[in-house]
Amino acid sequence: QSQSDVPFLINGLYGMLQDYSYYKNTMNWLTIYGAGDEALSTSASYVAMINRTLATNSYILNQNIYFMLINNVNTLIEVLGQLEEGKLSESYKSRILGELHFLRAFTYFNMVRLFGEVQINTVATNGDSDFYRKRDSVEEVYKLIFDDFKIAAEQCLPRNAQPSDEFGRATKGSAQALLSLAYLTYGNYCDLNEQSQYSAQYYQ
């Protein structure tokens, strides 16, 4: 309803990054044990990650936190677009939209590196949504990631030191850095999938 409502919503989105299925636990183990390094464990769950036998692994089956975060981002983007003019200052609205696009790109960047093809959702889910859509290609997912990080970097995100109650939120520098990392990662993906004719432009 007003600008004073927004920090609670934004903090809730960032708080989802600390969910047990995200960075509080599962994301870290998927990254460590799924990296191909010589990680050892006697845990059946972690052995499944190491051996890529994940079909019935509870850590994988409970990964809906990614889509929950993306859906909340999409919902807030739509809500901001429907607010009456003057409810938010233009600079503040630009900043919040930058953070929302950052969070969506960041989450898709994690998903595409973990799972490859995933569904792209850029609108809020409702009762009329198609719940059985096919996955989108890795190329399409990276295009969304590039576009969202670019939008984030071009909005009014803070450039300098943040106040203490905003530590950890997106900045212009973080958007630019992760856009660069996404380009490098996709270039490497091209090299590994016999598409080296495309990789040079992404490295550049």
Side-chain angles (χ1 to χ4, degrees):
Q1 298 298 317
S2 68
Q3 188 161 310
S4 62
D5 294 330
V6 178
F8 298 101
L9 301 172
I10 288 292
N11 289 341
L13 293 175
Y14 282 103
M16 295 180 79
L17 298 175
Q18 301 178 55
D19 186 89
Y20 188 87
S21 294
Y22 213 154
Y23 277 106
K24 186 174 181 179
N25 184 280
T26 306
M27 174 75 181
N28 300 315
W29 295 123
L30 286 172
T31 304
I32 292 168
Y33 287 112
D37 298 326
E38 294 299 321
L40 299 175
S41 175
T42 57
S43 163
S45 295
Y46 300 156
V47 169
M49 295 178 195
I50 295 167
N51 295 332
R52 310 295 203 277
T53 53
L54 300 170
T56 60
N57 185 284
S58 62
Y59 283 89
I60 300 299
L61 298 177
N62 295 330
Q63 290 301 287
N64 58 343
I65 186 65
Y66 302 115
F67 285 110
M68 290 171 62
L69 175 53
I70 288 167
N71 190 55
N72 286 346
V73 165
N74 291 337
T75 300
L76 189 50
I77 289 174
E78 292 184 10
V79 168
L80 291 178
Q82 295 165 4
L83 281 180
E84 295 176 19
E85 188 173 346
K87 288 279 188 178
L88 304 180
S89 70
E90 287 304 310
S91 61
Y92 186 75
K93 183 177 180 180
S94 174
R95 177 197 171 165
I96 297 305
L97 286 172
E99 291 191 76
L100 293 173
H101 284 279
F102 176 94
L103 285 167
R104 187 168 68 186
F106 181 66
T107 299
Y108 269 115
F109 190 33
N110 283 330
M111 281 202 296
V112 75
R113 289 181 292 175
L114 285 171
F115 307 117
E117 296 178 349
V118 292
Q119 268 190 19
I120 292 175
N121 293 318
T122 57
V123 297
T125 301
N126 57 51
D128 297 324
S129 299
D130 180 2
F131 293 100
Y132 299 97
R133 288 178 34 240
K134 293 181 179 179
R135 298 181 183 207
D136 294 285
S137 69
V138 169
E139 290 75 17
E140 291 171 311
V141 177
Y142 268 103
K143 183 181 185 307
L144 174 68
I145 293 166
F146 299 149
D147 290 344
D148 270 355
F149 275 140
K150 285 178 185 176
I151 291 172
E154 292 165 0
Q155 299 297 325
C156 294
L157 292 178
R159 294 172 178 265
N160 302 313
Q162 297 166 293
S164 60
D165 62 346
E166 294 181 3
F167 284 171
R169 287 172 58 172
T171 64
K172 186 177 183 68
S174 60
Q176 291 172 326
L178 281 164
L179 175 60
S180 297
L181 181 59
Y183 277 136
L184 291 170
T185 305
Y186 185 65
N188 183 243
Y189 170 84
C190 291
D191 279 340
L192 294 173
N193 287 274
E194 300 180 355
Q195 300 176 36
S196 295
Q197 68 271 29
Y198 304 116
S199 61
Q201 61 181 310
Y202 293 102
Y203 291 143
Q204 184 63 39

